[in-house]
Amino acid sequence: MDFETILYLKDSGIATVQLNRPEALNAINEKVLEELSVVNDYIAGDDDIRVLVIKGNSNAFAAGADIKNFVNYSPREAHQYIYKVQISMNKLMALGKPSIASIAGYALGGGCEMALACDIRIAADNALFGLPEINLGIVPGGSGTQRLTRLVGEGKAKELIFLGEIFDAKKALDLGLINLLVPAARLEEETMKLARKLARKPPVAIRTAKELIHLSYDVDIYTGLMMEKEKFAYLFSTEDQREGMLAFLEGRKASFKGK
Ligand code: COA
């Protein structure tokens, strides 16, 4: 598949989407959103793909929304634009497969929000994070006020969003914003190691776990537990459940088919 603003690669069950606007530090414009949406649908529909990796280049994951585009927006245009951003982030979050944000360099504004919409974040020690929208007289609009708060808690989210400062990967790790911090030279290798591990897991159980974890934000604990119980039972109708348990009992490695 050919795109203008992203590069797409599929190999051994792992789809890699690379943001590719190096001239603008991978700033996210409407074309990026459009292409991400297309590639997301494609990945969702391809059963051979078990994991998605999203990355930028060595000096930028993405430096946020393309400011050049929206400096003269009317409120209506801003609304239309941010609606597209939120749809794109929601699609990414709802993907029924695990996603990894592999972050080097800047992950600011919409770039940071895109990483937040992924399931797991791995960052290089040169990564820089921030939600600097406040300095432009606006607020994060691509889910930053919601997803960052859920990930790091209200107090830290307020500090980061009110001050709009750029902070390093060590602080991101301490905050729980990222899962793993690795030397920049090993980012690619460690990302793919993690992706391969996830690709070997049973896809239906992974999708189910992801859905249940997301549900936990929106429902009371008893509703969540009821859903967990139903989904737990449902997985006993899958071939992967049988394979996983038989493999354990037979002392061999399970080979999951996603059925
Ligand atoms: N939108 C559009 N273009 C952007 C951009 C953005 N969010 N971030 C960077 N760029 C462009 C710059 O305009 C510049 O283009 P030019 O060479 O044509 O002038 C190029 O990317 C390199 O950026 P530059 O600012 O020269 O690099 P730097 O190393 O001095 O600073 C940043 C890097 C990320 C600190 C700085 O670019 C920045 O603050 N960007 C905006 C971040 C932001 O506020 N994001 C949230 C948006 S809602």
Side-chain angles (χ1 to χ4, degrees):
M1 276 192 290
D2 286 336
F3 297 100
E4 247 176 63
T5 64
I6 59 176
L7 299 171
Y8 174 71
L9 176 78
K10 173 182 155 184
D11 185 27
S12 310
I14 300 167
T16 302
V17 172
Q18 180 172 9
L19 301 167
N20 190 33
R21 297 188 68 221
E23 72 287 357
L25 299 177
N26 292 329
I28 301 164
N29 60 15
E30 299 223 7
K31 191 74 189 166
V32 175
L33 293 172
E34 207 178 283
E35 295 190 337
L36 282 176
S37 177
V38 171
V39 84
N40 205 318
D41 288 345
Y42 178 80
I43 292 166
D46 184 342
D47 288 342
D48 291 341
I49 297 173
R50 301 267 179 109
V51 182
L52 164 64
V53 172
I54 298 195
K55 64 181 187 180
N57 47 34
S58 58
N59 62 344
F61 179 74
D66 196 322
I67 300 169
K68 286 170 194 156
N69 273 2
F70 60 48
V71 64
N72 291 319
Y73 272 0
S74 66
R76 181 171 158 71
E77 285 166 328
H79 197 278
Q80 284 169 338
Y81 170 79
I82 212 64
Y83 174 72
K84 285 186 202 158
V85 174
Q86 289 197 352
I87 292 281
S88 173
M89 301 296 168
N90 290 347
K91 252 182 157 176
L92 179 56
M93 185 173 165
L95 182 71
K97 313 176 186 224
S99 55
I100 302 170
S102 179
I103 305 152
Y106 294 110
L108 304 178
C112 187
E113 291 172 321
M114 191 180 294
L116 289 170
C118 291
D119 297 316
I120 297 179
R121 285 154 290 282
I122 177 169
D125 52 13
N126 74 340
L128 291 166
F129 297 84
L131 288 166
E133 287 85 349
I134 208 86
N135 303 316
L136 301 170
I138 56 173
V139 294
S143 74
T145 63
Q146 305 302 302
R147 292 203 173 103
L148 184 69
T149 307
R150 287 170 180 197
L151 198 59
V152 305
E154 183 182 327
K156 287 293 174 192
K158 282 178 176 166
E159 176 193 328
L160 300 175
I161 291 171
F162 290 1
L163 293 174
E165 286 172 354
I166 295 179
F167 52 93
D168 66 14
K170 170 74 175 61
K171 178 163 175 175
L173 184 69
D174 291 345
L175 285 165
L177 197 159
I178 58 170
N179 301 74
L180 292 159
L181 171 55
V182 298
R186 291 215 339 256
L187 180 64
E188 180 71 16
E189 182 192 333
E190 295 294 333
T191 300
M192 294 318 283
K193 203 158 102 185
L194 178 61
R196 282 192 295 273
K197 269 193 200 171
L198 287 167
R200 286 195 293 272
K201 301 293 178 191
V204 184
I206 289 270
R207 187 181 71 228
T208 304
K210 181 166 169 171
E211 286 169 356
L212 287 167
I213 291 166
H214 289 175
L215 187 76
S216 73
Y217 287 117
D218 301 320
V219 299
D220 64 276
I221 186 131
Y222 297 105
T223 308
L225 286 172
M226 185 184 71
M227 289 304 294
E228 187 182 76
K229 189 172 61 183
E230 295 306 320
K231 292 286 186 181
F232 179 86
Y234 158 74
L235 288 171
F236 282 74
S237 69
T238 63
E239 288 178 26
D240 284 350
Q241 169 267 327
R242 204 163 164 69
E243 165 63 8
M245 293 187 185
L246 283 179
F248 174 78
L249 295 173
E250 290 163 9
R252 60 178 171 83
K253 272 199 166 168
S255 170
F256 295 113
K257 299 209 164 44
K259 291 180 182 165

